Each structure stands twice: as structure tokens, then as C-alpha cells.
């Protein structure tokens, strides 16, 4: 079983839509959680860390559910520029990356 | 402050050739990593270095060697390249604290024919 699992998508949504991704992790003792964004043919870049109480950064909201071992990312009012692959990252002694969820925002 | 830099950006090798991928960071990070990324496979850890002078195998170390030359530099060597090593290679670094994220370099696109 993979340490971190994500739906690969693609999620195809119109501009202005709200879209949510989930990511599940296998180790209940996981320590830190992140969402990264990766544009086509570019390196992954940190989108946001995920805190136990949930956190928001503009149009992006991240949630952590330790009991069910998943984290989520909600994007409101999608923009064309949000089109990318979103990687879920979980740490337990080292970093574990999900394979990513592809988002296409269409005009 | 350049962050994490990698050279070269692109490389084409013939089967059996060797080469070294270079990585450097100027953020005074203790830990450095080498990943490969293949379509549909996500990032896979090749080797990492928790601190200067130490290196450890990751998930897919076969066919690779690494050197942590100093705190700034971490190189990845392919001794005898194979077509299966065609991939995009990313170097990353972070502070010792797992609560903080990894920073990635721009990647090296390697094709082995």
C-alpha cells in the first residue's frame, strides 16, 4: 500500500467553480502535511502547509482529519492559472509524496 | 539568493555513458535529496543526505551514486546510463525540522538512448 494516495484526475472545471481534492495517508503517526503545486515541466512548489485546525490562504483552504487519515484542499473561484498538478505530501521521518491530482480549469 | 540550482538542465546520453548531475543550495539547509519523476509515477526518492558527510538510500537507488561534497552541494552520478534512467531529476533541500517544506531545483531532463 502506498504511503500517500491521491485521485490522479484530471478534474476539469469551469472558471469560477469550487473544486476539492482529497488525499489519504497510511501512517497514523504522520507528523507534517503539505500541499505542493507543480506546473507542467516545472519543479514542485509549496502551495501551503496544512495545520491541525485547518488553514486558509486566499481562495485556498486546507483541512486535516487525523481520525480518518486524510487531508483536503479546497479551491474557490477557480482561475485559469490554477491549472496544475497538486501534490499531497506527508512526513513521517521523511517526506512522502502523492502522485498528484491534475486540475484543468477551462474558460 | 538563488535557492536550489541544478546543472545541466537537459542532457542526452548513450547507453553505458556516465555523467554527474550537480545540485547546490544557498539556504544553509542541512538535508538534501535527489528524486526522479516519471509520468504517472510521482516523485521517487533516489538518495538523500540528512547532513554534511552522510548519505542514505531512498526508494530507487540502484544505478546511482551520490556525493555530499559540502553543506551546499549534493551530486548524483550515473556510472553506466540505461534507457530506464530516462527521467526528470529533481534536487531538493530543507532545514532539519520536518515541519518545514522542501525546496526544489528546476530539474534536469535526462534522455538515455
Amino acid at each position: 500500500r502506498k504511503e500517500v494516495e491521491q485521485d490522479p484526475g484530471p478534474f476539469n472545471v469551469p472558471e469560477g467553480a469550487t473544486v476539492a481534492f482529497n488525499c489519504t495517508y497510511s501512517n497514523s503517526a504522520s507528523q507534517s502535511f503539505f500541499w505542493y503545486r507543480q506546473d507542467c515541466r516545472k519543479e514542485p512548489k509549496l502551495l501551503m502547509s496544512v495545520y491541525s485546525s485547518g488553514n486558509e490562504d486566499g481562495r485556498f483552504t486546507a483541512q486535516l482529519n487525523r481520525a480518518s487519515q486524510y487531508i483536503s484542499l479546497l479551491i474557490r473561484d477557480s482561475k485559469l492559472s490554477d491549472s496544475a498538478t497538486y501534490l499531497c505530501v506527508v512526513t513521517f521521518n521523511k517526506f512522502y509524496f502523492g502522485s498528484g491530482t491534475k486540475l484543468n480549469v477551462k474558460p | 539568493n538563488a535557492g536550489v540550482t541544478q546543472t545541466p538542465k537537459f542532457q542526452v546520453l548513450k547507453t553505458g555513458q556516465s555523467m554527474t548531475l550537480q545540485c547546490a543550495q544557498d539556504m544553509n539547509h542541512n538535508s538534501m535529496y535527489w528524486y526522479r519523476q516519471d509520468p504517472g509515477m510521482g516523485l521517487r526518492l533516489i538518495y538523500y543526505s540528512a547532513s554534511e558527510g552522510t548519505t542514505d538510500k531512498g526508494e530507487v537507488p540502484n544505478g546511482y551514486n551520490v556525493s555530499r561534497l559540502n553543506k551546499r552541494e549534493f551530486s548524483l552520478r550515473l556510472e553506466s546510463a540505461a534507457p530506464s534512467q530516462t527521467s526528470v531529476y529533481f534536487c531538493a533541500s530543507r532545514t532539519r525540522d520536518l515541519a518545514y517544506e522542501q525546496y526544489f531545483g528546476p530539474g534536469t531532463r535526462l534522455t538515455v538512448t
Side-chain angles (χ1 to χ4, degrees):
Chain A
R1 184 183 171 189
K2 288 185 183 177
E3 296 286 345
V4 180
E5 304 225 38
Q6 295 183 252
D7 181 342
F11 285 60
N12 298 307
V13 302
E15 266 186 297
T18 295
V19 62
F21 311 133
N22 279 344
C23 159
T24 58
Y25 60 94
S26 61
N27 191 331
S28 61
S30 294
Q31 298 153 317
S32 301
F33 308 87
F34 306 92
W35 282 104
Y36 276 72
R37 171 193 168 126
Q38 186 173 23
D39 293 299
C40 188
R41 303 177 73 80
K42 299 283 191 181
E43 73 272 25
K45 291 185 179 177
L46 180 71
L47 177 67
M48 58 197 302
S49 301
V50 186
Y51 303 122
S52 296
S53 55
N55 48 300
E56 190 174 299
D57 183 1
R59 298 181 293 110
F60 299 86
T61 300
Q63 298 276 358
L64 167 63
N65 186 318
R66 282 194 182 270
S68 301
Q69 294 180 212
Y70 75 85
I71 67 173
S72 63
L73 177 68
L74 182 79
I75 305 175
R76 289 181 299 278
D77 188 22
S78 298
K79 311 289 184 194
L80 294 175
S81 57
D82 293 333
S83 296
T85 297
Y86 291 83
L87 306 176
C88 169
V89 182
V90 173
T91 71
F92 178 72
N93 294 328
K94 54 185 178 181
F95 280 65
Y96 295 93
F97 286 81
S99 298
T101 298
K102 188 168 173 60
L103 172 65
N104 295 317
V105 181
K106 304 197 178 291
Chain B
N1 197 342
V4 181
T5 57
Q6 290 182 237
T7 56
K9 285 190 166 47
F10 302 93
Q11 184 71 48
V12 178
L13 292 177
K14 290 186 175 8
T15 297
Q17 287 184 316
S18 62
M19 77 161 296
T20 300
L21 281 62
Q22 307 285 355
C23 173
Q25 52 89 12
D26 61 3
M27 297 175 282
N28 201 36
H29 285 166
N30 292 306
S31 301
M32 297 186 73
Y33 305 80
W34 277 105
Y35 293 92
R36 60 178 289 174
Q37 188 174 38
D38 303 297
M41 298 288 288
L43 287 160
R44 291 187 291 170
L45 182 64
I46 305 170
Y47 270 94
Y48 66 101
S49 170
S51 60
E52 186 178 353
T54 69
T55 61
D56 286 288
K57 294 179 180 179
E59 187 185 348
V60 288
N62 291 343
Y64 305 94
N65 285 302
V66 290
S67 295
R68 183 74 184 267
L69 303 167
N70 47 55
K71 193 170 186 180
R72 289 188 65 248
E73 297 172 289
F74 188 38
S75 62
L76 178 72
R77 182 159 179 85
L78 287 70
E79 290 291 351
S80 178
S84 60
Q85 294 178 304
T86 293
S87 189
V88 181
Y89 291 85
F90 289 106
C91 177
S93 71
R94 68 165 179 84
T95 63
R96 198 187 302 276
D97 190 337
L98 274 174
Y100 294 94
E101 71 273 21
Q102 291 188 5
Y103 293 83
F104 284 83
T108 295
R109 298 184 182 283
L110 176 67
T111 301
V112 184
T113 60

